[in-house]
Amino acid sequence: MRNIVIGMMSLIILGVSCNSGKKSQEESIPKNENFEFVVDRFGDVEIMRYRLDDWDELSLKQKELIYYLSEAALCGRDIIFDQNGKYNLLVKHTLEHIVNSYSGDTTTEEWHQFMDYVKRFWFSNGMHHHYSNDKFYPEITQDYFEELLDNTPEKGFPIENDKSFADFKKRITEIIFSPKIEPVKICQDVKKDLVANSAVNFYEGVTQKEVEQFYAKQKKNSDLVLKETPISFGLNTKVVKNEKGEVVELPWKVGGLYGQAIEKVVYWLEKAAAVAENKAQKTHILKLIEYYQTGDLKIWDDYNVLWVQDVKSRVDYVNGFIEVYTDPLGQKATWEAVVNYKDLDNSKRTELISENAQWFEDNSPVDILYKKKEVKGVVAKVITVAHLGGECYPATPIGINLPNANWIRKQHGSKSVTMENIMYAYDRARMKNGTAEEFYFSEKEIQLVQKYGYDADNLQVDLHECLGHGSGQMLPGISDGMLKNYHSAIEETRADLFSLYYIADPKMVELGLLPDAEAFKATYYKYILNGMMLQLNRIELGEDIKQAHMRNRAIIANWCYEQGVEKNVIEKIERNGKTYIKINDYQELRKLFARLLAEVQKIKSTGDYEAAKTLVENYGVKIDPDLHKQVKERFKPLNIAPYGGFINPVFVLKKDGEKITDIQVQYPRDYTRQMLDYAKKYSYLPIN
Ligand code: ZN
């Protein structure tokens, strides 16, 4: 896999948020105080709404542009379901048909349980938990499921590939209920064939070895011509065997796999291009269309260069096969889309950070060998999300840093965004949920976090995205792929450490980014407590930590705890049978972050797989079972949903004949309704 440029995934997902403080920039807070953020709750999930403040500041043309890009974001909806597992579209159509047409009683407890499963399925874009990647199952019996099938009109079920309705019933029931079919989405057990044991639909009928050989050959051939600017091999294809038994790639493009959906995406992108704010924006939208039409990864790179150079437009978007988290081999990208516009006020914060990017790089505690001599254009802004699609919906990141290709980042820089309205919705939804009172060591920590938490956390996300991922350099000949399955966890660890190290720097107060020298402590306390304890609530008892961001937080917190034992930097205190975390020396903790950052940067820069493995396996995977049990028991009475996701707003077009005269925003509150609407409008792909 050498020289395969794979994703520099750059996404933070909120940890279990705690009792955050009041936001200080009160003027940017939504005018309507009665806005209800949380609108639904099921499984381990809470559904929220996000608000589009300053919408009326936008021109009609900008609103139109956002509308077209939003349609493009929704048209790829089926793709992510299919990528997450080859049965997902079949299951999706089946479940949706039942929800729409079941003739039996929909007031029973069983129906409620069934709907719970359906909502979770929609939320995860498939049969596997969006975060843990394990398959989850309905709590209803198979008998009840059969009753649902029997009391729903046969016409409308996806039975094309079955001999009879009875065959279909048997097959679909097995797919949903059997733990033998696709038990995990992403296999992480390196002793196993990662390709054969993962449900993700990037490979079919091939082994891990065959895939690796296939790409090794591609890489070898292109080394001669494209050494400085390698394409992102295999980013947008499925790998299968042809009739002759040869390993081949099938591209996702117009006329290829997913062509029916991609055509629609292109249709709306063309409309968007026609109302672009400026020439630069129009050019990259057209280039993206060209890429979708050809599937050519060279054009994808050209597109990314154009996109990253467009820093003037107020409206922006992400649309494509981008992040490689879901591929056990870290090269196939899932489809995602985000539409947004710049939050002008809050962007002043990130602009300050970007302006000082070189200073941060020069002063970071890593070996000079691994530092960038010249930091290229880190463009950082704060955005208002206007629509979410694909992998980013309903569960969304709160920050994104793109493009992913290392050479583009190095030569042309990257764009980094903090999603302010999403973070704000999280903050509002989770205020006063009782976590702080139950878990924080004392009133002092509670007040610290109340006072500084929201601002300091926002800043940490900015630093992670604007600077963290963009910092450092690889030694010649080293690529991300060398860390294989540990790459994502190591990369996130690195970005988090960079942000943690700097948030405590006096420079933050000097630049006016934090009010005083105490503020960073709020983030430090929350981070360590989350990494050592709180995030365990999201994991089933007996399970390991699997998700990359959770691994990264565990690595940092557990490593610092262990390394700081002698100086008693972080203390575990037992009180009435409960464990509490106390940080005794914040400055010493910062030094530990610095040491680990130097170490992790070295691992990345030298592609040291063994060192990555040791660090991740020793600190980021295993959980103390007693502590795990305790955390879950303490969380239980608080009744907090560990995960959150969002309903999209709806754009209402005001027209005079064919001409759009205004576009207004509505905030629907019915999650099921939105899912069924989307199913009706955007189901473009055939079912296998
Ligand atoms: Zn990240």
Side-chain angles (χ1 to χ4, degrees):
M1 279 179 58
R2 195 172 64 83
N3 242 357
I4 294 175
V5 177
I6 62 171
M8 168 121 166
M9 174 60 183
S10 354
L11 161 158
I12 309 174
I13 296 171
L14 269 193
V16 178
S17 177
C18 308
N19 216 1
S20 283
K22 206 158 170 261
K23 203 183 166 197
S24 68
Q25 303 109 309
E26 202 65 54
E27 67 283 355
S28 68
I29 290 184
K31 291 94 202 166
N32 178 1
E33 275 304 316
N34 295 322
F35 191 83
E36 199 178 346
F37 286 94
V38 181
V39 290
D40 202 355
R41 171 83 195 257
F42 51 85
D44 52 3
V45 165
E46 192 166 72
I47 296 290
M48 290 166 275
R49 306 187 293 175
Y50 56 93
R51 193 160 42 187
L52 276 55
D53 291 323
D54 304 329
W55 175 255
D56 286 323
E57 263 181 23
L58 302 173
S59 68
L60 177 58
K61 211 173 156 192
Q62 286 170 326
K63 290 178 183 174
E64 252 185 273
L65 175 59
I66 288 174
Y67 169 68
Y68 297 140
L69 290 169
S70 298
E71 288 295 318
L74 296 173
C75 287
R77 177 164 172 75
D78 273 2
I79 297 174
I80 187 65
F81 279 89
D82 192 67
Q83 287 186 313
N84 282 341
K86 64 180 174 185
Y87 299 118
N88 284 337
L89 286 177
L90 182 80
V91 174
K92 182 172 182 286
H93 282 256
T94 303
L95 298 176
E96 284 164 355
H97 183 48
I98 296 172
V99 175
N100 280 321
S101 309
Y102 174 61
S103 60
D105 189 352
T106 56
T107 59
T108 64
E109 180 57 25
E110 280 168 312
W111 174 261
H112 190 77
Q113 285 171 338
F114 167 70
M115 279 311 296
D116 224 63
Y117 175 74
V118 177
K119 287 179 177 185
R120 294 184 69 195
F121 175 86
W122 280 327
F123 188 86
S124 301
N125 296 316
M127 295 194 292
H128 302 89
H129 192 278
H130 75 291
Y131 216 71
S132 78
N133 295 317
D134 292 329
K135 186 173 179 178
F136 56 86
Y137 304 90
E139 279 175 27
I140 55 171
T141 61
Q142 293 195 28
D143 285 349
Y144 180 69
F145 185 64
E146 282 194 29
E147 191 202 306
L148 294 176
L149 293 169
D150 287 336
N151 290 290
T152 304
E154 220 174 285
K155 189 174 177 314
F157 278 120
I159 53 176
E160 294 79 7
N161 297 322
D162 297 280
K163 283 194 207 88
S164 64
F165 188 63
D167 279 359
F168 164 73
K169 265 171 61 178
K170 189 165 169 272
R171 190 159 77 101
I172 193 74
T173 307
E174 220 182 315
I175 288 170
I176 292 174
F177 286 88
S178 170
K180 287 193 186 121
I181 296 177
E182 298 190 341
V184 281
K185 186 160 94 180
I186 311 165
C187 175
Q188 303 212 53
D189 182 349
V190 287
K191 289 183 232 77
K192 290 183 181 166
D193 183 317
L194 299 178
V195 166
N197 289 288
S198 297
V200 284
N201 196 14
F202 302 133
Y203 311 96
E204 203 161 351
V206 286
T207 64
Q208 180 178 351
K209 207 169 160 209
E210 284 168 334
V211 174
E212 285 175 347
Q213 282 170 350
F214 177 76
Y215 284 107
K217 210 163 139 194
Q218 273 201 11
K219 174 225 71 190
K220 208 173 145 204
N221 294 340
S222 93
D223 250 352
L224 305 169
V225 283
L226 283 171
K227 211 168 185 179
E228 295 299 313
T229 59
I231 58 162
S232 304
F233 292 99
L235 189 75
N236 63 341
T237 61
K238 179 170 176 174
V239 178
V240 297
K241 274 188 188 154
N242 65 14
E243 311 86 65
K244 292 185 206 152
E246 298 158 338
V247 177
V248 290
E249 283 185 298
L250 303 175
W252 302 321
K253 61 170 190 140
V254 172
L257 287 183
Y258 302 147
Q260 301 91 332
I262 296 173
E263 259 171 43
K264 302 288 178 187
V265 173
V266 165
Y267 169 84
W268 289 105
L269 288 177
E270 279 168 351
K271 294 213 166 238
V275 295
E277 292 173 88
N278 52 56
K279 200 168 161 233
Q281 193 180 46
K282 184 174 183 163
T283 310
H284 60 74
I285 296 175
L286 291 175
K287 188 57 85 176
L288 178 60
I289 292 170
E290 195 187 335
Y291 158 68
Y292 275 137
Q293 286 166 338
T294 58
D296 185 338
L297 287 171
K298 176 71 180 59
I299 295 175
W300 171 243
D301 283 348
D302 294 344
Y303 158 73
N304 277 294
V305 171
L306 292 169
W307 176 80
V308 83
Q309 285 169 344
D310 172 14
V311 293
K312 296 237 168 70
S313 306
R314 174 117 194 233
V315 176
D316 208 351
Y317 65 95
V318 172
N319 187 307
F321 298 99
I322 295 175
E323 302 291 359
V324 297
Y325 271 134
T326 305
D327 179 5
L329 301 185
Q331 65 187 3
K332 306 285 169 199
T334 45
W335 193 86
E336 68 175 47
V338 175
V339 185
N340 67 78
Y341 54 97
K342 193 170 171 182
D343 174 339
L344 301 177
D345 273 353
N346 283 308
S347 287
K348 286 171 194 150
R349 191 175 79 213
T350 47
E351 280 154 11
L352 254 181
I353 296 171
S354 313
E355 282 163 21
N356 290 280
Q358 191 67 50
W359 183 91
F360 289 109
E361 183 75 1
D362 294 345
N363 289 281
S364 90
V366 313
D367 191 301
I368 188 135
L369 270 178
Y370 315 134
K371 280 187 196 182
K372 277 202 177 82
K373 274 160 209 69
E374 196 191 340
V375 180
K376 278 258 166 69
V378 185
V379 177
K381 58 184 176 181
V382 176
I383 58 168
T384 301
V385 170
H387 239 67
L388 300 164
E391 174 83 330
C392 294
Y393 170 85
T396 169
I398 52 173
I400 297 181
N401 183 331
L402 293 171
N404 283 330
N406 279 317
W407 74 265
I408 300 179
R409 302 171 74 85
K410 202 172 161 195
Q411 291 182 21
H412 303 279
S414 65
K415 269 196 232 178
S416 161
V417 300
T418 306
M419 301 165 158
E420 181 85 11
N421 59 335
I422 296 292
M423 290 184 69
Y424 185 71
Y426 267 114
D427 190 64
R428 281 287 142 144
R430 292 178 176 178
M431 272 173 95
K432 307 225 180 300
N433 64 19
T435 306
E437 288 73 11
E438 175 59 38
F439 287 95
Y440 286 22
F441 176 69
S442 72
E443 188 58 28
K444 198 175 133 199
E445 282 79 9
I446 294 177
Q447 284 183 7
L448 180 76
V449 170
Q450 267 176 359
K451 188 168 176 193
Y452 302 112
Y454 185 67
D455 287 340
D457 286 356
N458 277 359
L459 182 59
Q460 196 233 327
V461 175
D462 295 340
L463 292 167
H464 174 114
E465 297 296 343
C466 309
L467 301 177
H469 283 299
S471 71
Q473 67 172 3
M474 318 285 266
L475 292 186
I478 305 296
S479 72
D480 288 338
M482 294 166 81
L483 299 183
K484 296 185 193 175
N485 50 311
Y486 298 114
H487 161 256
S488 294
I490 290 291
E491 178 55 25
E492 294 308 322
T493 302
R494 195 178 73 88
D496 260 357
L497 285 166
F498 199 93
S499 69
L500 290 167
Y501 175 73
Y502 273 119
I503 200 169
D505 200 282
K507 186 99 178 163
M508 291 298 136
V509 181
E510 201 182 291
L511 290 172
L513 292 165
L514 286 178
D516 58 48
E518 287 290 293
F520 79 92
K521 293 178 182 172
T523 292
Y524 275 25
Y525 189 74
K526 282 179 76 174
Y527 195 95
I528 295 294
L529 181 65
N530 190 29
M532 286 177 77
M533 290 179 65
L534 300 189
Q535 70 167 358
L536 302 181
N537 189 39
R538 296 170 158 208
I539 299 170
E540 297 301 322
L541 290 176
E543 296 281 318
D544 287 340
I545 307 175
K546 292 176 189 157
Q547 204 275 344
H549 292 85
M550 290 176 81
R551 284 186 166 185
N552 119 51
R553 293 183 208 116
I555 291 166
I556 293 174
N558 294 330
W559 187 92
C560 288
Y561 172 71
E562 189 193 277
Q563 297 294 314
V565 159
E566 228 166 83
K567 292 187 175 168
N568 203 18
V569 179
I570 301 167
E571 198 175 350
K572 267 190 204 169
I573 293 164
E574 304 292 327
R575 218 164 49 195
N576 307 326
K578 292 177 176 178
T579 306
Y580 293 88
I581 304 291
K582 183 168 179 255
I583 296 177
N584 289 315
D585 193 333
Y586 283 90
Q587 286 305 332
E588 276 301 320
L589 180 55
R590 187 180 184 221
K591 285 183 197 159
L592 292 172
F593 289 148
R595 251 177 64 202
L596 187 56
L597 174 57
E599 180 61 30
V600 168
Q601 182 61 55
K602 185 176 164 196
I603 291 172
K604 171 162 167 136
S605 293
T606 59
D608 190 341
Y609 176 80
E610 283 306 318
K613 184 179 173 186
T614 305
L615 186 68
V616 177
E617 295 291 343
N618 282 352
Y619 298 96
V621 178
K622 294 288 170 214
I623 305 172
D624 168 359
D626 292 334
L627 186 65
H628 194 180
K629 205 164 143 238
Q630 185 202 126
V631 168
K632 288 190 91 79
E633 273 168 11
R634 287 166 71 183
F635 260 114
K636 216 171 189 178
L638 301 180
N639 196 27
I640 298 166
Y643 302 99
F646 292 86
I647 294 187
N648 276 322
V650 169
F651 297 118
V652 182
L653 273 51
K654 300 281 160 196
K655 282 182 164 181
D656 180 7
E658 277 308 291
K659 198 174 168 294
I660 297 173
T661 54
D662 193 19
I663 298 176
Q664 291 169 0
V665 186
Q666 283 180 358
Y667 302 100
R669 35 189 322 127
D670 189 337
Y671 173 74
T672 300
R673 171 96 274 134
Q674 182 155 84
M675 292 293 156
L676 293 174
D677 279 353
Y678 285 180
K680 206 167 144 195
K681 284 187 200 150
Y682 306 108
S683 292
Y684 294 123
L685 295 184
I687 299 159
N688 301 315

